[in-house]
Amino acid sequence: MNELATRLAARYGARGWHDQRADLATIVLDADRLRDALAYLRDQEGYRHLSFATAIDNIERGVFTLVYTLRSHDKGHSLIVHADIDRQKPVVDSIHLLWAQAWTYQREMKEWYGIDFPGSPRVDEEFVLEGWEGPPMMRRDFDSLAYSDATYAERPGRATSDPARHMKEQLYPEAAE
Amino acid sequence: MSDKKLKPAPLANEGLSPDERGLFCDAAPREYEPAKGVIEDFYNWARAESLWILGFGTGCGAIELRPLMTSRFDMYRYGIQARPTPRQSCVFVIGGYASVKTLKRIVRSYEQMMGPKFVVALGSCTINGGMYWDSYNTIKRIDQYIPVDVYITGCMPRPEALLAGFQELKKIIKAGKGEGQNIYARDFAWYKANQKQIIKNWDMPDYNW
Amino acid sequence: MDATLLQRVGYAFVSLFVITNYGLLLIGSMARISAKVQGRVGQPVYQPYIDIIKSSAKRNSIGHGVMFYLGPVFRLAGGVGTYMFIPAVFGSALFMNFSDSGDLLLVMYFIFFGQLGMALGASEGGHPYSAIGVSRGLAQMTAFEVPFALSVIAVAVQYGTLDITAIVAAQQGGFMHWTLATNPLAVVAALIAFLGMSMHNPFSVVIAPQEIPIGPPTEYQSNLLGMLQTNRAIFNGAKLVLYMNLFFGGATNIVVMVIKTFLIYFINVFVGQAFPRLRVDQSIRFFLGVPTLIGIASVLIAAF
């Protein structure tokens, strides 16, 4: 497998190969070489199956990390490709021409994180939400509670009891104080 | 359509495109007088003993409806049946949390049911949001959008709790208090305003016949 | 036979009243028996009455034009018409109905009539599920009509008449005179068709209760649904009485009628609890296969 890491590093500047399990590894790529690298992995290295694609909001570093999970059924090995993109300018190359199903994932990412994939089919349409007017709701700077309080009517008198604290009060009343 | 003298002001149906508006009814719902005395009591008894549930699972709570049909819980002995069409059913069981997208369908289905119609709200989510109290996409109390007759608490309530809830609903109907349809018609403007505040892309008639 | 026309009309109303209540109780008791088979308590026997009262007590109702209202009317006319031309109890003036020579043809026509009227009305509702239900219903109906018609032809050929009263009269005098004994193949073909006609379990995909569409009556509600429910009871009763008359020696009093029709209806429950539902294409293939061959054989046996 490390031969693959070397080849990817030489061709696409991949780095940070990490064996998660015997059949699962992760690697980090630059976003602007992402499509070429994925095409190479698909056509030359046998990772023909895109099993999953999503994004992670790494707000601390100011990036969205795109996650593509590829599977080679010949080798019985999965490869997770990470690529960081700028949170302020979230535009990535679409890979729907490599894997036709990718447009669904990309539509999802567009709606949930606001990451744009120019040229991806139906990418601007609603995916799971209907008539959503707020900001992309899976971004971590979106305050779900504030939005919910502002939007949906609430029944007064709701009380919350944290299970941990509740049990502490029940079992160790002196320590709870 | 036929009784013009009772018809209130027609609805605007602004959510529809102009060429579609003629296809839908623009009459607002109206209140119906109950029958007199003993007759209404008799009707209410029949309504209570023949509860037909709309078979529309609107959330995770729908999974609790299925065991009711099985030998163990056997809802048929209480005269409860499931019907697949809102036209024939008279009880709408809101199965737990309702997202905005589902709420739209709930409103449509509820309005298509023939009165008198009853709503059983199932699970904590319908009462105060339950575990979805801070969700961006889940309403926190269903009675802002449609009138509710019975709440069943729990997350999830057991099928036994549902059966108990249906017994409670029967008592309400037999007492002549199951007037959700008339409440909805009377406070139609309020309910509609609440619904439209949440459902942003209102692309259906204002009242779905 | 000596009754005046007015008397006969009066008798017909009594007879219709009896068969309606009998049909409703039959549906209720069969639902309860099915429940027992499944290990449940089951609904009360009088549940069909409550359902009809409730449907009729609905406060509002919607329509989709004239044909929509005429659908249940046709259906009810089909049910009542079927029953009105069958003598329910042999030799009884009260349950004679309007049976006369050639009534078998009328009955055959009326059995089909209700479904056709329903098809017209339900299509007017504009609901896609209605259309699916109607197409399924008519397809299945056309299929089971073949063995049924063949066995009726066999009976007509055998007794040389189209008058149900005459057919019953020919079967009097003990079990060995019943069609069941004299032409068993016709009875087998007709009973298999009966399973399809009563839309119980192996052939219940038309109604598909509680699943996808509930078939043709998807859009029907309130008092229109009440009419359909009433018709279901009458139609059930009429079919049972017809079968009893054609194949099981008729009945000379109402007790015998009740026992015989109950047992005939019980065949449905028996088969329905034992077999899962067939798809429409499967049931059509089934009806046009062995049952049709049995029907042809019965005609041949009766003719030669």
Side-chain angles (χ1 to χ4, degrees):
Chain A
M1 281 304 155
N2 286 324
E3 290 171 24
L4 176 61
T6 325
R7 281 202 295 278
L8 282 175
R11 279 169 177 266
Y12 301 105
R15 57 199 174 272
W17 179 283
H18 171 65
D19 277 313
Q20 200 86 23
R21 292 197 307 256
D23 62 342
L24 180 69
T26 63
I27 199 164
V28 182
L29 276 167
D30 288 333
D32 51 352
R33 306 177 82 171
L34 186 64
R35 185 163 61 183
D36 296 341
L38 290 177
Y40 169 76
L41 281 167
R42 184 188 74 157
D43 296 335
Q44 307 288 322
E45 300 289 347
Y47 288 89
R48 288 199 299 273
H49 180 191
L50 171 72
S51 56
F52 187 55
T54 189
I56 302 166
D57 187 0
N58 281 317
I59 195 167
E60 297 84 356
R61 292 194 280 126
V63 294
F64 289 119
T65 305
L66 297 172
V67 181
Y68 294 91
T69 307
L70 308 181
R71 175 82 182 167
S72 163
H73 293 287
D74 301 330
K75 295 182 204 164
H77 188 260
S78 294
L79 183 63
I80 297 178
V81 178
H82 291 287
D84 286 349
I85 53 166
D86 187 6
R87 230 169 154 277
Q88 304 304 319
K89 201 169 66 66
V91 182
V92 200
D93 291 337
S94 168
I95 57 159
H96 70 276
L97 292 175
L98 298 181
W99 286 280
Q101 79 269 28
W103 70 269
T104 307
Y105 295 117
Q106 292 173 0
R107 204 173 141 198
E108 183 184 74
M109 283 189 253
K110 167 82 190 198
E111 184 179 85
W112 292 5
Y113 296 95
I115 303 171
D116 199 10
F117 296 86
S120 182
R122 300 174 66 188
V123 74
D124 292 323
E125 288 179 26
E126 291 169 328
F127 186 60
V128 292
L129 301 171
E130 267 185 4
W132 179 260
E133 289 173 353
M137 79 289 182
M138 292 299 274
R139 288 192 177 189
R140 278 167 62 200
D141 51 1
F142 170 71
D143 190 343
S144 184
L145 177 59
Y147 183 87
S148 175
D149 284 342
T151 313
Y152 304 115
E154 197 162 3
R155 187 185 298 277
R158 183 194 157 87
T160 309
S161 57
D162 174 42
R165 204 176 59 228
H166 176 76
M167 287 315 290
K168 211 170 171 181
E169 283 165 7
Q170 291 288 312
L171 297 174
Y172 314 105
E174 67 283 353
E177 291 309 317
Chain B
M1 288 287 227
S2 57
D3 37 10
K4 280 205 175 63
K5 59 181 183 296
L6 291 165
K7 201 161 75 171
L11 301 168
N13 282 343
E14 278 166 350
L16 300 168
S17 66
D19 50 331
E20 269 184 331
R21 279 180 207 171
L23 301 173
F24 292 92
C25 184
D26 60 356
R30 65 177 178 88
E31 294 182 56
Y32 288 86
E33 278 291 308
K36 295 276 183 293
V38 187
I39 302 175
E40 180 69 8
D41 289 346
F42 176 63
Y43 283 169
N44 280 335
W45 171 79
R47 282 166 194 152
E49 294 302 324
S50 166
L51 296 174
W52 288 2
I53 302 174
L54 175 58
F56 172 28
T58 61
C60 48
I63 203 78
E64 299 295 324
L65 282 173
R66 304 302 178 261
L68 288 183
M69 293 179 197
T70 59
S71 310
R72 182 167 170 195
F73 299 105
D74 187 22
M75 63 181 179
Y76 295 95
R77 68 195 143 132
Y78 301 117
I80 305 168
Q81 289 181 36
R83 299 301 270 200
T85 156
R87 296 291 191 208
Q88 297 176 2
S89 42
C90 44
V91 182
F92 197 169
V93 178
I94 308 292
Y97 75 89
S99 67
V100 174
K101 207 171 173 179
T102 316
L103 181 70
K104 198 171 164 186
R105 277 80 184 168
I106 289 177
V107 168
R108 283 201 94 146
S109 307
Y110 178 74
E111 290 177 350
Q112 283 179 24
M113 286 162 67
M114 294 296 125
K117 46 196 171 185
F118 317 104
V119 175
V120 175
L122 177 64
S124 307
C125 302
T126 55
I127 301 170
N128 59 13
M131 63 183 282
Y132 295 102
W133 61 287
D134 62 348
S135 165
Y136 55 88
N137 200 26
T138 310
I139 58 161
K140 285 197 254 187
R141 48 187 298 191
I142 192 77
D143 60 355
Q144 294 275 313
Y145 311 103
I146 53 173
V148 177
D149 292 286
V150 173
Y151 288 104
I152 302 172
T153 57
C155 181
M156 294 306 302
R158 293 276 306 153
E160 289 93 336
L162 252 90
L163 287 177
F166 283 125
Q167 299 304 327
E168 194 62 34
L169 179 63
K170 283 187 179 188
K171 279 182 208 153
I172 290 173
I173 298 172
K174 282 177 185 166
K177 289 178 188 157
E179 294 289 350
Q181 184 193 20
N182 284 346
I183 294 171
Y184 190 72
R186 198 181 60 219
D187 302 337
F188 185 67
W190 183 76
Y191 281 115
K192 209 37 82 176
N194 283 347
Q195 291 162 5
K196 286 194 173 175
Q197 192 191 347
I198 300 301
I199 303 169
K200 299 281 169 46
N201 62 339
W202 188 277
D203 54 356
M204 55 186 186
D206 285 343
Y207 186 67
N208 300 282
W209 267 84
Chain C
M1 285 296 157
D2 300 317
T4 64
L5 185 65
L6 206 61
Q7 262 176 321
R8 287 185 70 177
V9 171
Y11 287 161
F13 273 109
V14 175
S15 166
L16 195 60
F17 178 77
V18 169
I19 201 75
T20 309
N21 287 291
Y22 177 58
L24 286 172
L25 287 175
L26 206 56
I27 292 172
S29 55
M30 286 304 166
R32 197 157 171 97
I33 291 170
S34 303
K36 297 287 179 205
V37 175
Q38 293 160 6
R40 297 188 282 119
V41 178
Q43 61 186 28
V45 176
Y46 51 88
Q47 187 69 39
Y49 287 97
I50 307 179
D51 290 346
I52 289 177
I53 295 169
K54 185 210 66 178
S55 291
S56 310
K58 286 272 184 189
R59 287 192 187 139
N60 58 337
S61 153
I62 56 145
H64 296 282
V66 179
M67 269 320 290
F68 185 76
Y69 291 114
L70 282 181
V73 175
F74 283 164
R75 188 93 202 216
L76 194 62
V80 174
T82 312
Y83 179 65
M84 277 292 103
F85 292 102
I86 308 171
V89 176
F90 177 65
S92 153
L94 187 57
F95 292 101
M96 180 66 203
N97 297 338
F98 295 104
S99 171
D100 213 331
S101 58
D103 49 6
L104 190 50
L105 285 179
L106 264 177
V107 168
M108 291 287 286
Y109 165 71
F110 268 119
I111 286 178
F112 216 89
F113 177 80
Q115 186 81 13
L116 284 175
M118 192 65 204
L120 285 173
S123 321
E124 197 73 9
H127 200 290
Y129 285 162
S130 300
I132 294 173
V134 164
S135 66
R136 283 176 176 182
L138 288 180
Q140 188 167 304
M141 186 150 208
T142 317
F144 72 67
E145 279 284 305
V146 175
F148 178 61
L150 283 170
S151 66
V152 168
I153 291 169
V155 169
V157 169
Q158 184 185 351
Y159 297 108
T161 175
L162 284 170
D163 183 354
I164 298 177
T165 315
I167 292 175
V168 178
Q171 295 181 62
Q172 297 305 308
F175 174 74
M176 289 316 289
H177 293 94
W178 294 6
T179 318
L180 182 62
T182 53
N183 193 350
L185 284 184
V187 181
V188 170
L191 280 181
I192 293 171
F194 181 64
L195 295 177
M197 206 185 292
S198 46
M199 292 180 189
H200 265 272
N201 218 349
F203 308 107
S204 63
V205 77
V206 179
I207 304 273
Q210 302 175 8
E211 271 109 304
I212 338 132
I214 209 157
T218 308
E219 276 289 296
Y220 284 102
Q221 17 66 34
S222 309
N223 34 21
L224 298 173
L225 185 65
M227 269 168 91
L228 291 177
Q229 287 169 312
T230 316
N231 169 68
R232 197 166 146 235
I234 298 175
F235 198 47
N236 258 334
K239 279 182 301 193
L240 290 168
V241 170
L242 177 68
Y243 267 71
M244 177 191 73
N245 281 339
L246 290 184
F247 307 113
F248 297 96
T252 46
N253 60 54
I254 194 145
V255 178
V256 176
M257 183 202 93
V258 167
I259 293 172
K260 280 188 180 174
T261 48
F262 187 88
L263 289 177
I264 298 170
Y265 197 59
F266 202 74
I267 297 171
N268 271 325
V269 181
F270 213 76
V271 176
Q273 291 301 324
F275 290 94
R277 179 180 295 162
L278 295 178
R279 292 198 311 268
V280 168
D281 57 326
Q282 289 170 327
S283 62
I284 290 175
R285 284 208 188 94
F286 171 78
F287 281 124
L288 296 183
V290 177
T292 305
L293 291 178
I294 296 174
I296 294 171
S298 72
V299 173
L300 293 176
I301 289 172
F304 302 109

